[in-house]
Amino acid sequence: AGLMGLGRTELSLVSQTASRFGGVFSYCLPATTSGDSTGSLSLGGDSSFYRNTTAVAYTRMIADPAQPPFYFMNVTGASVGGAAVTASGLGASNVLIDSGTVISRLAPSVYRAVRAEFARQFTAAGFPAAPEFSLLDTCYNLTGHDEVNVPLLTLRLEGGADVTVEAAGMLFMAKKDGSQVCLAMAGLPYEDQTPIIGNYQQKNKRVVYDTVRSGLGFADEDCSYHM
């Protein structure tokens, strides 16, 4: 067990191998960890083995001197199920993208707007509410429903890139019988805290980190690689 350092510091693997791999790496996280599905990690800019179904769209990679190892970006807008949401927290250039955090934590104003629109659409579809689960406060009873049309969250990034969270990244099944299924994100306590896009919302995405050109790239991809 251990950690692979892929941060922005001089000691990270990315920095130490920059002469060989050009300061570029990418990963693709599978929607499930069951069976032999492994996902993919790539060092270097060779995209020939990617299986992305959309072009890699880039946004500016932002550095925070107070948190030098981490990667930040600017989320300028958001929509849920195609309906745009507005919030004072959108447009702040301090959103952290992190493969080590599971559930995304949004600025309170952004989370309230996303939650309200998601709940409006989901409640209108006739799904009854269920009790909260841990930090997840928006849950439903989906018992008896084999198929559910899930409103998807789309984040608009600086430069015009759109990242849409797939259905597997929108809902967390707290109970396997479907009686408690929750919106898989939460709000931060305070507006000035750092929002985080966690790995649960990065499923089936090729995420490219180009530290030389200061770019973060996103594309849709089936990340169910097999050994």
Side-chain angles (χ1 to χ4, degrees):
L3 292 173
M4 178 183 292
L6 295 173
R8 305 186 74 172
T9 64
E10 294 180 357
L11 291 177
S12 77
L13 181 66
V14 182
S15 299
Q16 293 193 54
T17 61
S19 60
R20 179 170 181 178
F21 297 119
V24 179
F25 71 95
S26 72
Y27 56 72
C28 195
L29 304 177
T32 177
T33 56
S34 61
D36 59 352
S37 181
T38 64
S40 161
L41 171 67
S42 165
L43 297 177
D46 180 8
S47 61
S48 61
F49 69 91
Y50 294 178
R51 304 191 306 201
N52 51 305
T53 55
T54 60
V56 179
Y58 284 89
T59 189
R60 179 171 61 102
M61 179 187 290
I62 299 171
D64 182 354
Q67 304 179 81
F70 299 114
Y71 300 95
F72 296 88
M73 59 186 180
N74 183 7
V75 178
T76 60
S79 63
V80 177
V85 299
T86 57
S88 60
L90 292 170
S93 302
N94 68 332
V95 178
L96 168 64
I97 180 164
D98 184 24
S99 62
T101 298
V102 180
I103 298 295
S104 293
R105 302 292 299 271
L106 307 177
S109 63
V110 177
Y111 177 67
R112 286 193 298 268
V114 168
R115 178 183 61 188
E117 183 57 34
F118 183 91
R120 185 189 70 80
Q121 295 183 33
F122 225 51
T123 302
F127 300 116
E132 299 180 3
F133 176 78
S134 185
L135 75 157
L136 307 180
D137 62 10
T138 304
C139 303
Y140 298 89
N141 184 345
L142 304 184
T143 304
H145 296 276
D146 294 329
E147 293 186 4
V148 176
N149 186 19
V150 181
L152 303 182
L153 170 65
T154 297
L155 300 176
R156 169 60 60 90
L157 308 181
E158 179 184 305
D162 285 338
V163 178
T164 298
V165 177
E166 73 157 30
M170 292 297 300
L171 295 176
F172 177 82
M173 189 168 291
K175 291 187 177 179
K176 292 183 178 180
D177 64 359
S179 63
Q180 190 181 26
V181 181
C182 306
L183 178 62
M185 55 195 73
L188 291 164
Y190 303 105
E191 199 70 27
D192 60 354
Q193 290 178 287
T194 300
I196 304 173
I197 304 301
N199 61 44
Y200 204 83
Q201 280 68 48
Q202 298 178 47
K203 294 178 179 181
N204 283 338
K205 294 282 181 288
R206 173 64 59 177
V207 185
V208 183
Y209 295 73
D210 188 334
T211 64
V212 174
R213 297 177 180 83
S214 293
L216 286 166
F218 299 88
D220 293 340
E221 182 170 335
D222 180 359
C223 298
S224 298
Y225 288 77
H226 298 282
M227 297 294 287

